[in-house]
Amino acid sequence: MAEFAELEMKAQAIYEFQVQALPGLTQTKNYMSALLDAAWPPLGVAEADRIRNGRLERQAVFKREPPPMCVFIVEEVAFRRDVGGSEVMKEQLDHLLRLAKDPFVQIQCVPTARGAHSAMDGSFVVSCRVL
Protein backbone atom coordinates (compact mmCIF):
# COMPACT_ATOMS: atom_id res chain seq x y z
CA MET A 1 0.00 0.00 0.00
CA ALA A 2 2.93 2.38 0.54
CA GLU A 3 3.67 2.48 -3.20
CA PHE A 4 0.00 3.07 -3.97
CA ALA A 5 -0.20 5.91 -1.42
CA GLU A 6 2.93 7.47 -2.91
CA LEU A 7 1.41 7.38 -6.41
CA GLU A 8 -1.80 8.85 -5.05
CA MET A 9 0.08 11.77 -3.47
CA LYS A 10 1.67 12.59 -6.86
CA ALA A 11 -1.50 12.14 -8.90
CA GLN A 12 -3.17 15.08 -10.61
CA ALA A 13 -6.44 13.14 -10.81
CA ILE A 14 -7.90 10.20 -8.92
CA TYR A 15 -10.89 8.29 -10.25
CA GLU A 16 -12.35 5.64 -7.96
CA PHE A 17 -15.30 3.30 -8.38
CA GLN A 18 -16.58 1.45 -5.32
CA VAL A 19 -19.26 -1.19 -5.09
CA GLN A 20 -19.69 -2.28 -1.46
CA ALA A 21 -18.11 0.40 0.75
CA LEU A 22 -17.38 4.09 0.53
CA PRO A 23 -13.95 5.02 -0.89
CA GLY A 24 -11.06 4.88 1.60
CA LEU A 25 -10.07 8.48 0.93
CA THR A 26 -13.54 9.60 1.99
CA GLN A 27 -13.95 7.46 5.10
CA THR A 28 -14.14 8.80 8.64
CA LYS A 29 -12.11 7.08 11.36
CA ASN A 30 -15.27 5.55 12.89
CA TYR A 31 -16.49 4.20 9.53
CA MET A 32 -13.03 2.70 8.90
CA SER A 33 -13.02 1.13 12.34
CA ALA A 34 -16.41 -0.49 11.77
CA LEU A 35 -15.25 -1.89 8.42
CA LEU A 36 -12.04 -3.23 9.94
CA ASP A 37 -13.98 -4.78 12.85
CA ALA A 38 -16.03 -6.73 10.29
CA ALA A 39 -12.99 -8.05 8.38
CA TRP A 40 -12.62 -11.77 7.79
CA PRO A 41 -10.40 -13.28 8.89
CA PRO A 42 -10.44 -11.01 11.92
CA LEU A 43 -7.60 -8.50 12.15
CA GLY A 44 -5.47 -8.04 15.22
CA VAL A 45 -5.50 -4.67 16.93
CA ALA A 46 -2.05 -3.75 15.59
CA GLU A 47 -2.97 -4.67 11.99
CA ALA A 48 -6.28 -2.78 12.15
CA ASP A 49 -4.47 0.27 13.57
CA ARG A 50 -1.84 0.09 10.82
CA ILE A 51 -4.50 -0.04 8.08
CA ARG A 52 -6.62 2.71 9.65
CA ASN A 53 -3.63 5.02 10.23
CA GLY A 54 -2.42 4.47 6.67
CA ARG A 55 -5.84 5.31 5.28
CA LEU A 56 -6.06 8.45 7.41
CA GLU A 57 -2.58 9.52 6.28
CA ARG A 58 -3.63 9.09 2.64
CA GLN A 59 -6.34 11.71 3.18
CA ALA A 60 -3.60 14.35 3.30
CA VAL A 61 -3.95 14.33 -0.50
CA PHE A 62 -6.93 16.70 -0.08
CA LYS A 63 -4.66 19.29 1.61
CA ARG A 64 -1.98 19.16 -1.08
CA GLU A 65 -1.45 22.27 -3.26
CA PRO A 66 -2.80 21.94 -5.78
CA PRO A 67 -5.04 19.06 -4.76
CA PRO A 68 -5.82 16.38 -7.32
CA MET A 69 -9.19 16.29 -9.05
CA CYS A 70 -10.98 13.42 -7.27
CA VAL A 71 -13.97 11.66 -8.78
CA PHE A 72 -15.62 9.02 -6.61
CA ILE A 73 -18.34 6.92 -8.23
CA VAL A 74 -20.11 4.74 -5.69
CA GLU A 75 -22.86 2.16 -5.93
CA GLU A 76 -26.02 3.20 -4.05
CA VAL A 77 -25.75 0.17 -1.75
CA ALA A 78 -22.56 1.60 -0.20
CA PHE A 79 -24.46 4.73 0.88
CA ARG A 80 -27.30 2.64 2.30
CA ARG A 81 -25.25 -0.07 4.05
CA ASP A 82 -25.37 0.48 7.82
CA VAL A 83 -21.69 0.38 8.75
CA GLY A 84 -21.14 0.91 12.46
CA GLY A 85 -24.68 2.03 13.28
CA SER A 86 -26.72 5.15 12.69
CA GLU A 87 -24.37 7.62 14.45
CA VAL A 88 -21.36 6.40 12.47
CA MET A 89 -23.33 6.61 9.23
CA LYS A 90 -24.62 10.10 10.03
CA GLU A 91 -21.05 11.26 10.72
CA GLN A 92 -19.85 9.56 7.52
CA LEU A 93 -22.57 11.01 5.29
CA ASP A 94 -22.05 14.50 6.79
CA HIS A 95 -18.34 14.11 6.01
CA LEU A 96 -19.17 13.21 2.39
CA LEU A 97 -21.35 16.31 2.09
CA ARG A 98 -18.47 18.49 3.34
CA LEU A 99 -16.04 16.85 0.91
CA ALA A 100 -18.46 17.32 -1.98
CA LYS A 101 -18.36 21.11 -1.45
CA ASP A 102 -14.70 21.10 -2.49
CA PRO A 103 -14.43 22.08 -6.19
CA PHE A 104 -11.77 19.37 -6.64
CA VAL A 105 -14.05 16.57 -5.37
CA GLN A 106 -16.98 14.94 -7.16
CA ILE A 107 -19.03 12.22 -5.50
CA GLN A 108 -21.48 10.42 -7.74
CA CYS A 109 -23.97 7.65 -6.93
CA VAL A 110 -24.87 4.82 -9.30
CA PRO A 111 -28.51 4.05 -8.48
CA THR A 112 -29.39 0.41 -7.91
CA ALA A 113 -32.28 0.91 -10.35
CA ARG A 114 -29.65 1.49 -13.07
CA GLY A 115 -29.39 -2.28 -13.35
CA ALA A 116 -26.43 -4.06 -14.89
CA HIS A 117 -23.38 -2.05 -15.97
CA SER A 118 -19.82 -2.73 -17.05
CA ALA A 119 -18.16 -2.07 -13.68
CA MET A 120 -20.17 -4.54 -11.60
CA ASP A 121 -17.27 -6.97 -11.31
CA GLY A 122 -15.60 -4.91 -8.63
CA SER A 123 -14.00 -1.75 -7.38
CA PHE A 124 -11.05 0.00 -8.97
CA VAL A 125 -8.90 3.14 -8.68
CA VAL A 126 -7.14 5.06 -11.45
CA SER A 127 -4.57 7.65 -10.35
CA CYS A 128 -3.35 9.85 -13.20
CA ARG A 129 -0.37 12.13 -13.52
CA VAL A 130 0.03 14.29 -16.58
CA LEU A 131 3.69 14.52 -17.58
Side-chain angles (χ1 to χ4, degrees):
M1 278 303 288
E3 289 176 16
F4 179 74
E6 187 178 324
L7 290 172
E8 212 169 47
M9 283 305 290
K10 294 177 181 177
Q12 291 178 327
I14 299 170
Y15 300 90
E16 183 167 352
F17 176 79
Q18 286 293 331
V19 178
Q20 296 295 328
L22 297 169
L25 283 175
T26 70
Q27 293 173 4
T28 63
K29 184 176 181 179
N30 289 327
Y31 183 92
M32 287 177 212
S33 295
L35 285 177
L36 294 169
D37 287 348
W40 186 259
L43 299 171
V45 172
E47 180 68 4
D49 285 346
R50 185 187 68 74
I51 293 169
R52 183 177 28 258
N53 291 337
R55 204 171 283 173
L56 288 168
E57 287 173 18
R58 287 176 46 220
Q59 293 179 1
V61 74
F62 294 119
K63 294 179 175 83
R64 197 186 78 201
E65 285 297 328
M69 173 52 107
C70 295
V71 178
F72 302 106
I73 304 170
V74 185
E75 286 277 347
E76 178 181 350
V77 69
F79 292 100
R80 293 182 175 275
R81 187 177 311 281
D82 187 359
V83 175
S86 60
E87 287 302 311
V88 170
M89 288 306 296
K90 180 183 181 323
E91 174 190 47
Q92 178 61 58
L93 294 173
D94 287 345
H95 178 66
L96 290 174
L97 289 172
R98 283 189 302 276
L99 280 176
K101 291 179 181 176
D102 186 319
F104 289 94
V105 176
Q106 291 180 22
I107 301 172
Q108 300 174 10
C109 176
V110 178
T112 304
R114 165 72 171 77
H117 57 81
S118 60
M120 288 179 59
D121 285 342
S123 301
F124 59 87
V125 178
V126 177
S127 296
C128 306
R129 182 175 174 134
V130 177
L131 300 174

